[in-house]
Amino acid sequence: MIDRKLLPAVALLLVPALAACSIGDVRRTPPTRAPRSHRPVVTTPAPLRVVDIDEVRRTRLALPQRYGPPFVEFVDAGHGYALFASCDGQPPGRDCTALLYSTVDGGRSWQPLPHPRPVAEDQQLYAAPGVLALLAEPYGWYTSTDGGASFTHTSGSEPPVLMGARGRFQVIEGQDAIGEWDGGRLRPLAAQPSVPGLNSVGEEGDLLVAAGADGGRPYAAISRNQGRSWRTTPVPVPDGEVAVLRTVLAPDGGIWLIGERPDRTGFPAFWRFAGPAAWARVGAVGHPAQARSVAPIGAGLLAVTGPDGVGVVAGGRYYHVDWPLTGDHYLTVLVDGTIAARGPDDVILGIGWTANRRWVKVTLDGD
């Protein structure tokens, strides 16, 4: 049964939402949310109109030489980092030292930070709430918990502070098992879910969801007691095969399974948790053949980018939307619900709720 009390609220969200309708991959920890009832939301599409950029925040830095585009990572709508680590297409080195910057005002301004190891064979940046981590190969990791004011050096695998930022429960790499972070390591749970091809785990309130795929089929299990016991939950068979199944949380607490195709480019399959132990297959009638990125954005909506542009899955259908994004933008949702769309030369922030967003274009380059 559909809770009719939800319909007016959903309609208010969707009418302006759909009407308003590489700077690298990202690793995010889900936002902290209060427990809520996991009830499916019914959505109704609305007409589309053209949307434009609301604000452009462009910064030109006086760099010592001609650097390539930076790697930019936002943690929320205000806080982000940028790493310049290549010059004229050449890798980093003594003639192209890494440059590090931060912003606390959403990209309106950028401040230089001292890079702890500016000369290395390869430079990478990772950011999570309260954590900035730099990998300078072959020297190891440099992590900061004070916004880049100071760094701690470690070698070997990921530093504990970064692993801990990924969440309390995580899949232990190479073990096909779920572990609980105890502050220093992932401790395997005594009880493990019966999920072939275990790939991801998500936590929402008192609910843990484990997901995986094997032989082209999706599998999932849930726990309501912090992983002390698990219940296998049937996942409706999709059209076509699924190679990887991911658990993804929406900003409003919705729990999704996203099934990636074997070629990793075909349009994914979707399921939404319908409770208490059931998954509802979410259709996308009219969808394009391929997708680049998918992000749940609340109220039962999925935003999608791909070769055909940008769209939203709502009410079982796929709708092209005229957001100021391209198929080259990669979508993620930050801890405060902001959409971060990362393109080859910019980051576009969608600030707001569900699909009703204010679009801010952030660019950062050197003279």
Side-chain angles (χ1 to χ4, degrees):
M1 288 290 292
I2 299 170
D3 189 342
R4 296 183 180 275
K5 295 179 181 179
L6 293 174
L7 293 179
V10 172
L12 287 174
L13 289 171
L14 278 173
V15 169
L18 287 180
C21 337
S22 109
I23 298 182
D25 66 345
V26 219
R27 297 167 173 83
R28 298 279 176 216
T29 53
T32 302
R33 306 177 183 88
R36 60 183 81 237
S37 61
H38 305 289
R39 179 178 297 174
V41 178
V42 175
T43 57
T44 304
L48 310 180
R49 67 175 174 82
V50 175
V51 178
D52 202 354
I53 293 289
D54 295 285
E55 180 182 354
V56 176
R57 300 171 184 171
R58 184 175 185 180
T59 302
R60 296 190 65 86
L61 301 172
L63 303 183
Q65 54 185 307
R66 187 177 178 84
Y67 280 78
F71 180 96
V72 177
E73 186 90 283
F74 275 90
V75 177
D76 55 35
H79 298 79
Y81 300 94
L83 175 67
F84 289 87
S86 67
C87 302
D88 288 322
Q90 299 300 313
R94 294 190 179 278
D95 296 328
C96 182
T97 58
L99 302 176
L100 182 64
Y101 290 83
S102 70
T103 181
V104 295
D105 55 12
R108 294 182 180 89
S109 63
W110 294 84
Q111 297 75 41
L113 295 175
H115 194 294
R117 180 66 73 164
V119 178
E121 295 178 6
D122 184 52
Q123 300 275 4
Q124 298 181 43
L125 178 152
Y126 302 85
V131 179
L132 167 62
L134 304 173
L135 177 59
E137 296 179 322
Y139 302 105
W141 292 88
Y142 299 83
T143 55
S144 174
T145 57
D146 54 13
S150 63
F151 288 87
T152 299
H153 175 245
T154 56
S155 58
S157 58
E158 280 190 8
V161 67
L162 180 59
M163 291 191 66
R166 301 199 193 287
R168 178 180 172 188
F169 297 94
Q170 303 175 39
V171 174
I172 303 175
E173 187 176 356
Q175 295 190 28
D176 292 329
I178 294 175
E180 182 178 6
W181 183 253
D182 66 4
R185 67 184 183 92
L186 283 174
R187 179 175 52 84
L189 297 178
Q192 293 290 331
S194 180
V195 174
L198 179 67
N199 180 74
S200 70
V201 60
E203 181 182 12
E204 170 57 38
D206 63 349
L207 183 66
L208 283 181
V209 177
D214 185 60
R217 296 283 301 274
Y219 298 90
I222 65 171
S223 173
R224 293 189 180 275
N225 55 14
Q226 305 299 305
R228 292 187 294 273
S229 64
W230 294 86
R231 177 179 179 182
T232 300
T233 54
V235 182
V237 177
D239 295 330
E241 294 186 347
V242 169
V244 175
L245 191 66
R246 296 186 291 116
T247 303
V248 184
L249 306 179
D252 61 357
I255 303 175
W256 292 81
L257 298 177
I258 297 179
E260 297 179 6
R261 304 301 184 177
D263 63 0
R264 302 299 177 91
T265 64
F267 198 85
F270 308 124
W271 298 263
R272 193 155 186 251
F273 189 67
W279 295 95
R281 173 78 190 280
V282 176
V285 176
H287 69 76
Q290 295 181 317
R292 171 171 169 74
S293 64
V294 177
I297 57 175
L301 304 178
L302 291 166
V304 183
T305 62
D308 289 355
V310 188
V312 168
V313 175
R317 298 189 63 87
Y318 176 90
Y319 298 88
H320 283 284
V321 292
D322 291 320
W323 290 351
L325 309 177
T326 71
D328 290 331
H329 282 95
Y330 188 92
L331 300 176
T332 58
V333 178
L334 308 182
V335 294
D336 59 355
T338 298
I339 293 175
R342 292 162 177 81
D345 302 308
D346 60 22
V347 174
I348 297 179
L349 302 176
I351 302 169
W353 183 244
T354 64
N356 190 20
R357 305 274 172 165
R358 181 173 180 269
W359 299 100
V360 176
K361 182 177 181 178
V362 179
T363 61
L364 179 65
D365 50 27
D367 291 325

